[in-house]
Amino acid sequence: MLSIKKCNNLILKYLIKTLRPFIVPKNNFIVYHSFPDFSDNCFTFFCYVLDNHKEYKNIWLISKRDKEKYSKLLANYTTSSNYLIVEKKSFSGVYYFCKSKYVFFTHGLFNEVNLSKKQININLWHGMPLKNIGHLDNNSRVPKSDFVIATSALFQNIMSKAFLIKNENVLITGQPRNDLILTNKYSLLDLVQKKSTDFDKTVLWMPTYRKSVIGDVRKDGNLEEMNDFFEEKYLIKLNEFFLSTKSICFIKLHPMDYLDVNDFKTYTNLVFLNNASFEEKGISLYSVLQNTDLLLTDFSSIYIDYLLLNKPIGFLISDFDQYSNSRGFVFEDPKEFMPGEIITHKKELIPFLQNLLFANQDNFEEERAKTRDIFHEPKNKFSERVFNTIFK
C-alpha cells in the first residue's frame, strides 16, 4: 500500500504532466524554492531580483503553510512586495511552476517530473562541497537541472560530475548567499539581544551532521567521537573559558541533524542555535558572518564561504578516517584544502582558542588567502553574476 507522501507525489506528477501542454511559460515569471524555506542561495538571489529587476513576477513556493512566519525576514532584506508566496503542494503551486520560464532551487523542485524544454531550471545548490554529494555519493535522488553554479573552475569540474551535467552548463558565478557575507548588517549577538561591547570575541561553531533525520537520512563518520565535544562536563568547562575571557560562542546545529537545541542545557557564554533561532529574528545566517572573529567547523561547506573573509578557522575533526570511509570527500586529500588548525581531540580546543583569540597566533593567513583564490574566482556581486548569466 502506498504511503500518503507517495500518493501525494503521484498526484502532483499527474497534475503537472496534465497541465503542462496547456500552459505556456511566461518569460517574466520566476519561481523559487529552497530547503529550509526562504534560505540559502535562493533567498539572496530572490531578494536581488526583487530589488533590481522589477519587471519580473516572483513566486516563492513554500513547503509549509505558514506564510506569516517569513514576513520579518523579507522585511529585513528587501523593500519590494513584488512577489507571491504559494504552497508548493497545491494547485496554485503547480500552476505557477508550469507558468514560470525560470525555476531556481537549492534541493530540487518536483524532482519526480522530467524537465520541460519550455523552462530553464537553475540549481543554485547549498554550498561548494568538501564531502561527496550527488552522483559522487552514489545518490540516486539528484535533482535534475539545466544549469548548476560554481565558485571556480575547480568546483566547476566537481559539480559537473556530481550532477552529471556538461561542464559548460556549470556556471562560474559564485554563490548568491555570499553577497550577505560581505555586509555587516547583523550580528549573532542580535539573536540574544546583547551588545558587541558585552564581549571581546565572538566565535561561531558550525558542525555538520553525523546522523540526519530530515531529507537524506543517513549516518556518516563517528557519532560517538563527535558527540564527545558535546559532553555536558566538557561544555561546562568550555563555557567557563568563554566567560573568563569575556567572549561568547554560538553553536549552530545543522538543520538535518538529529541533535536539537533542546538537548542541551542553557549556558551563559555558550549558545546553541537552530534555524528557528534565525527565523524568529528575521535574520539570515550569512549576514552575521562578518561580525565573527573565528569559525569552528569540520567538513561543512560553510568554511569555503568563510574564506572570503580571510578570518581564522579551526577544524574539529576527531573522526576524519571514519568520515572518509563512509561519506568520503571530493578531494583525494581534503586536508590540503583546509587552511586552519586541525583539532582532533577536545583537550586541544581551549588551548587553540586561547592562542588564536588572545595571543594572536594566527599561522594560516597566507594559506587561507591561497585557498580562497583557488576556491573563489569571482569575489563579489554573486547574485548579479547569476542574473546576468542566466538572463543574458
Side-chain angles (χ1 to χ4, degrees):
M1 187 174 179
L2 290 175
S3 66
I4 294 175
K5 182 178 180 180
K6 286 186 177 180
C7 279
N8 288 339
N9 287 339
L10 285 173
I11 292 169
L12 286 168
K13 182 178 180 180
Y14 175 78
L15 188 58
I16 292 170
K17 290 180 71 174
T18 302
L19 289 178
R20 264 183 172 172
F22 303 100
I23 299 177
V24 179
K26 296 195 69 173
N27 289 338
N28 67 330
F29 273 48
I30 309 174
V31 72
Y32 309 80
H33 179 65
S34 70
F35 171 81
D37 287 327
F38 285 103
S39 67
D40 219 286
N41 286 315
C42 247
F43 174 68
T44 312
F45 181 72
F46 170 74
C47 292
Y48 165 81
V49 176
L50 286 176
D51 292 339
N52 295 279
H53 299 280
K54 303 185 187 304
E55 67 272 26
Y56 289 92
K57 186 73 174 178
N58 302 278
I59 303 97
W60 192 286
L61 300 187
I62 59 173
S63 298
K64 298 181 180 179
R65 299 181 181 182
D66 189 0
K67 298 180 184 180
E68 298 302 318
K69 179 179 179 181
Y70 305 103
S71 57
K72 188 181 292 185
L73 177 71
L74 288 162
N76 283 343
Y77 291 93
T78 179
T79 57
S80 174
S81 58
N82 181 29
Y83 58 85
L84 290 175
I85 300 175
V86 180
E87 189 180 346
K88 179 179 75 169
K89 294 184 177 181
S90 67
F91 181 84
S92 294
V94 169
Y95 170 79
Y96 281 114
F97 170 73
C98 296
K99 190 71 173 175
S100 299
K101 172 74 172 181
Y102 301 95
V103 180
F104 288 87
F105 56 81
T106 62
H107 289 69
L109 179 59
F110 300 125
N111 290 334
E112 301 83 7
V113 182
N114 291 329
L115 297 180
S116 168
K117 293 181 180 180
K118 299 177 183 178
Q119 295 174 302
I120 299 175
N121 289 259
I122 305 96
N123 182 358
L124 297 180
W125 201 234
H126 45 281
M128 295 298 100
L130 183 70
K131 55 193 177 185
N132 282 329
I133 61 168
H135 290 285
L136 295 174
D137 188 34
N138 298 315
N139 191 335
S140 61
R141 299 175 60 207
V142 179
K144 299 178 283 287
S145 50
D146 298 303
F147 296 99
V148 179
I149 64 170
T151 59
S152 68
L154 176 66
F155 280 116
Q156 182 184 47
N157 292 327
I158 291 169
M159 298 300 272
S160 173
K161 294 173 184 176
F163 293 96
L164 293 184
I165 190 170
K166 292 180 180 178
N167 226 47
E168 58 264 33
N169 285 9
V170 181
L171 313 174
I172 302 176
T173 59
Q175 298 184 93
R177 70 188 189 187
N178 287 337
D179 286 331
L180 298 181
I181 280 186
L182 304 179
T183 69
N184 61 355
K185 187 174 182 181
Y186 296 106
S187 164
L188 285 163
L189 296 170
D190 294 328
L191 302 178
V192 291
Q193 296 182 322
K194 293 184 183 290
K195 298 177 182 178
S196 59
T197 52
D198 294 337
F199 303 97
D200 290 336
K201 301 290 182 181
T202 300
V203 175
L204 174 60
W205 183 355
M206 288 189 62
T208 194
Y209 63 85
R210 295 305 189 277
K211 177 182 176 182
S212 61
V213 292
I214 301 173
D216 184 14
V217 177
R218 61 189 298 158
K219 289 182 181 180
D220 296 314
N222 189 310
L223 189 64
E224 289 72 26
E225 283 199 25
M226 193 59 204
N227 281 354
D228 200 35
F229 281 98
F230 298 120
E231 184 186 30
E232 186 178 332
K233 285 175 63 176
Y234 182 69
L235 290 176
I236 291 172
K237 183 179 179 180
L238 198 57
N239 184 68
E240 288 173 352
F241 166 78
F242 285 114
L243 181 62
S244 67
T245 54
K246 198 185 174 185
S247 301
I248 189 167
C249 177
F250 293 87
I251 303 175
K252 166 63 171 66
L253 300 175
H254 194 282
M256 292 166 61
D257 206 317
Y258 86 103
L259 293 173
D260 185 77
V261 292
N262 296 319
D263 296 329
F264 301 95
K265 290 187 175 181
T266 301
Y267 302 91
T268 57
N269 291 57
L270 204 58
V271 181
F272 282 86
L273 305 171
N274 57 14
N275 278 11
S277 309
F278 289 86
E279 290 170 354
E280 288 168 7
K281 299 292 182 180
I283 294 175
S284 168
L285 166 67
Y286 281 80
S287 58
V288 306
L289 295 183
Q290 190 170 127
N291 287 318
T292 60
D293 298 290
L294 165 70
L295 175 68
L296 297 175
T297 188
D298 42 31
F299 311 119
S300 171
S301 67
I302 185 71
Y303 94 84
I304 294 172
D305 304 322
Y306 202 75
L307 287 171
L308 288 167
L309 299 174
N310 201 5
K311 292 187 177 188
I313 305 169
F315 296 93
L316 281 61
I317 51 174
S318 58
D319 61 341
F320 180 84
D321 291 337
Q322 296 95 325
Y323 203 94
S324 180
N325 292 330
S326 56
R327 180 68 176 260
F329 301 103
V330 298
F331 302 117
E332 185 175 345
D333 185 2
K335 289 182 181 178
E336 289 185 5
F337 298 95
M338 299 170 76
E341 192 77 25
I342 304 294
I343 300 161
T344 60
H345 193 277
K346 63 185 180 184
K347 67 182 181 182
E348 301 168 351
L349 180 54
I350 289 178
F352 163 74
L353 294 169
Q354 185 72 54
N355 290 335
L356 182 62
L357 295 177
F358 303 102
N360 295 317
Q361 294 182 12
D362 180 6
N363 301 318
F364 293 91
E365 187 171 357
E366 289 185 12
E367 191 177 339
R368 285 197 305 271
K370 180 180 177 181
T371 308
R372 177 200 61 202
D373 291 342
I374 295 171
F375 281 178
H376 297 278
E377 291 177 23
K379 294 181 175 62
N380 57 23
K381 299 183 179 180
F382 308 110
S383 295
E384 182 179 322
R385 292 174 194 277
V386 171
F387 184 89
N388 290 340
T389 304
I390 295 297
F391 296 86
K392 60 186 176 182

